[in-house]
Structure formats: C-alpha cells, structure tokens
Amino acid sequence: MITLLYDGTFEGLLTCIYDGFYYKTNISCIYNKNSNYIPLLLDNIIDVNTNLIKFSKVKSSIIKKINNLCLKKIYMTYLSNYNDKEILIFNYLKIAFNIGWNIHSFLHIDEVRLIDKINKSVNNEIHRFRGFIRFKYIDDLFLYASIEPDNDILEFLGDYFKDRFSNEYWIINDITRKKAIIYNKTQYEIMDFNLEDSNKLSSYEDEYQKLWKAYFKSTTIEERKNLQLQARMMPKRYWKHIFETQ
C-alpha cells in the first residue's frame, strides 16, 4: 500500500491522481503535506511534486471522458473540509472513468453519493454567506467583513460582492485560513492576511454598525423571539460575525 503526499494545491492533487493511476500497488491515502492530520506511522510514503503537464492531462481527460460537471464536483470536494477528501476524489475518479458521463446518476455507489452530498453542503454554505456577510466601514475608507466558513469558499464570494459593491473598496477576510479577498473598485485578488490585522479590523465598530444594532433591537418583539428557529435558519457558528446577534 502506498501513501501519497502533495503540496495542498488542486494542481498537486491531480498530479497525485495521475501518478496513482499508474502505480501497480494500491493507493491507501493521499495527504496534504502541510496538514496537521498526517498519521505518524506510515510506510511506503511518496512525496509527489506538482507537475502542470500531468495536471493538465488529468483535467482534460475528466472533461473529455466524463464531463465538466465531474471536474466541478471534485474541485468543490477539494475545497471542502471533509477529512479524507483526497482519497475519496481518487476513488471517485476511478469509478467515473469506468462509467463515463452518466456517473452522477449512480447514487447507489458510496463514493458518488458522498461526493454529491459534499457538493450540496459546500454550495449551501456559499449561498448562506452571500446573505450573512456583514460589512463595517473602517475609518470611512473601505468595507471590511470577517468570516469563518467550514469550507474554503472565499473565491466564490468575489464576483457576487463585486457586482453589489463595485464602487467601494472592500475586504472579506477568512480568519480561519488567514487569507482575504481584497477589491480595489476594479478587480479583486485573494491574498494572505495575517491574524494581527484580522483581530484589529474585526474588533473595530463603526457608526453604521451601532445604528444597525440599535435598529434591530428596536424592531425586535420580545414575545415573538424564537432562538431555536433563528439557529436553524442562521447556524450559531456564524453569529459572532453578524451584528444583530452580538
């Protein structure tokens, strides 16, 4: 049995999959070598270097022999917080290459069903954050919002908020992954963002934020409060970044 290590990038993962298909020994695990969850006692470990030619070959084969939806699904799974996502994607693709374009209807197969479930979970979180994100004005210069999503969804928020706040400078900061989308009224870029800056900006309170809290409090009817329903519609793990629940 072989364990493969990759650099954490999607290109690196597809390089692992390319190599894995050619090994005669079974692939037992694929781990991001930057992860904290690699078991200590592993034998027959191969550290795979990212190869863009191999990456392109796997990507092209998925599109030609299966379809674009398959490529999208494995990418969304790669962005998920599912612990064993790499080996799941590897096993899923082995099945998909055998079945072809109709793979998505074979939900009785565990790997196909799980990939579908993970995709729904990631897409649901993207949809939630497009509605839950709350910006604050920092010294009347730019908008800032902090988030802590379960999955790595930051890239799916850029176009959405660019359309809505095209005339503003803004930052959406994924605190967990220490990165942020930074928009300059023309284009946005995802960059590393250190924890010290995150803490400073997250603790900042502007006048609009105070007004919103006051408005929310004034319109609340105490007798009709339903915290259980609120938690179901807006999971509690998001509350600390939403003004009206603070």
Side-chain angles (χ1 to χ4, degrees):
M1 302 288 278
I2 294 175
T3 295
L4 302 179
L5 301 181
Y6 76 110
D7 62 1
T9 65
F10 188 59
E11 292 83 358
L13 177 57
L14 292 197
T15 302
C16 271
I17 288 168
Y18 179 95
D19 287 353
F21 279 2
Y22 287 98
Y23 288 129
K24 293 181 181 179
T25 308
N26 287 336
I27 306 300
S28 60
C29 302
I30 302 175
Y31 290 111
N32 176 353
K33 59 187 174 186
N34 301 313
S35 169
N36 297 322
Y37 304 106
I38 302 175
L40 295 176
L41 298 175
L42 291 174
D43 43 21
N44 218 356
I45 298 175
I46 298 175
D47 191 345
V48 177
N49 293 320
T50 298
N51 184 307
L52 295 181
I53 294 174
K54 292 179 179 179
F55 160 74
S56 296
K57 285 182 178 179
V58 176
K59 181 180 176 182
S60 297
S61 293
I62 293 170
I63 294 170
K64 290 176 183 176
K65 297 180 180 179
I66 311 170
N67 54 28
N68 277 302
L69 179 57
C70 178
L71 181 63
K72 180 183 176 183
K73 282 189 172 185
I74 65 166
Y75 183 65
M76 297 295 270
T77 304
Y78 158 76
L79 294 175
S80 76
N81 67 342
Y82 184 74
N83 283 338
D84 299 315
K85 60 189 177 184
E86 292 91 353
I87 195 64
L88 170 63
I89 290 170
F90 178 77
N91 292 330
Y92 171 80
L93 283 177
K94 285 200 295 186
I95 297 166
F97 277 123
N98 284 327
I99 293 175
W101 65 271
N102 201 28
I103 180 66
H104 314 292
S105 63
F106 283 72
L107 293 175
H108 61 282
I109 300 174
D110 290 343
E111 289 83 356
V112 178
R113 186 171 61 254
L114 185 52
I115 288 281
D116 192 66
K117 181 181 178 181
I118 291 169
N119 268 252
K120 287 178 180 176
S121 175
V122 175
N123 279 310
N124 284 340
E125 187 169 52
I126 293 168
H127 177 72
R128 281 198 190 109
F129 271 92
R130 285 172 176 171
F132 288 166
I133 283 180
R134 299 291 188 266
F135 286 99
K136 62 182 78 173
Y137 258 117
I138 307 296
D139 295 330
D140 291 328
L141 297 174
F142 62 92
L143 295 168
Y144 172 83
S146 58
I147 61 173
E148 294 182 73
D150 295 331
N151 306 291
D152 189 2
I153 61 169
L154 200 57
E155 65 187 84
F156 297 103
L157 303 176
D159 286 340
Y160 183 84
F161 286 102
K162 179 183 176 183
D163 289 343
R164 280 150 185 78
F165 299 105
S166 59
N167 293 320
E168 301 280 358
Y169 295 103
W170 52 257
I171 297 173
I172 301 175
N173 179 199
D174 183 340
I175 294 175
T176 306
R177 295 169 183 85
K178 298 177 183 177
K179 62 181 183 178
I181 297 181
I182 300 177
Y183 177 69
N184 63 3
K185 294 190 179 182
T186 304
Q187 60 187 11
Y188 62 82
E189 186 177 354
I190 296 178
M191 304 174 65
D192 293 335
F193 207 80
N194 66 58
L195 192 58
E196 185 180 351
D197 288 339
S198 294
N199 291 336
K200 285 180 182 176
L201 292 171
S202 296
S203 60
Y204 185 94
E205 187 168 275
D206 66 3
E207 290 303 316
Y208 295 103
Q209 188 175 346
K210 292 174 185 175
L211 285 170
W212 175 247
K213 286 182 179 179
Y215 169 77
F216 188 79
K217 186 176 181 179
S218 69
T219 57
T220 299
I221 302 172
E222 291 295 326
E223 294 76 12
R224 298 185 66 179
K225 266 190 177 180
N226 188 338
L227 296 180
Q228 189 175 5
L229 176 63
Q230 188 176 13
R232 191 161 69 245
M233 301 300 291
M234 185 189 298
K236 281 190 174 181
R237 62 184 180 276
Y238 303 147
W239 285 18
K240 68 178 178 178
H241 298 291
I242 298 175
F243 307 149
E244 55 266 40
T245 57
Q246 292 173 6

